[in-house]
Amino acid sequence: KLPYHHVADNTQVVNYISRGRLPKQPDFSTNPDDKKIDEFMWSICEKCWSQVDFRPSMEDLQAELITFSSSM
């Protein structure tokens, strides 16, 4: 499902985002490997949605992605 799939139109989506209402966490896969990826990617999204001063840099994200991919 798309983020904000429950919202009727794009204007409402913009309104949600501008008010800081984040999308709901999706259901993760029941396959253990896929679930690990789902959880990791969701954590990346949450970090990127943090307040500006707390968002990771692209270098930090790249390092996390490399570390994660080497653990799979």
Side-chain angles (χ1 to χ4, degrees):
K1 294 181 185 176
L2 294 173
Y4 303 104
H5 64 89
H6 60 285
V7 179
D9 63 64
N10 290 338
T11 304
Q12 285 183 307
V13 171
V14 171
N15 192 12
Y16 272 39
I17 293 169
S18 67
R19 292 180 181 195
R21 291 181 68 181
L22 300 177
K24 296 175 184 175
Q25 180 175 319
D27 294 331
F28 295 145
S29 175
T30 56
N31 175 293
D33 289 335
D34 291 343
K35 183 176 181 180
K36 186 176 179 182
I37 294 169
D38 291 346
E39 289 171 341
F40 173 74
M41 294 307 295
W42 183 254
S43 75
I44 292 292
C45 289
E46 290 182 315
K47 289 175 187 177
C48 292
W49 293 329
S50 297
Q51 294 296 321
V52 174
D53 292 343
F54 300 105
R55 290 179 189 157
S57 67
M58 289 304 294
E59 292 82 12
D60 292 339
L61 291 173
Q62 181 181 24
E64 281 193 67
L65 288 165
I66 291 169
T67 301
F68 179 79
S69 65
S70 66
S71 74
M72 293 297 292

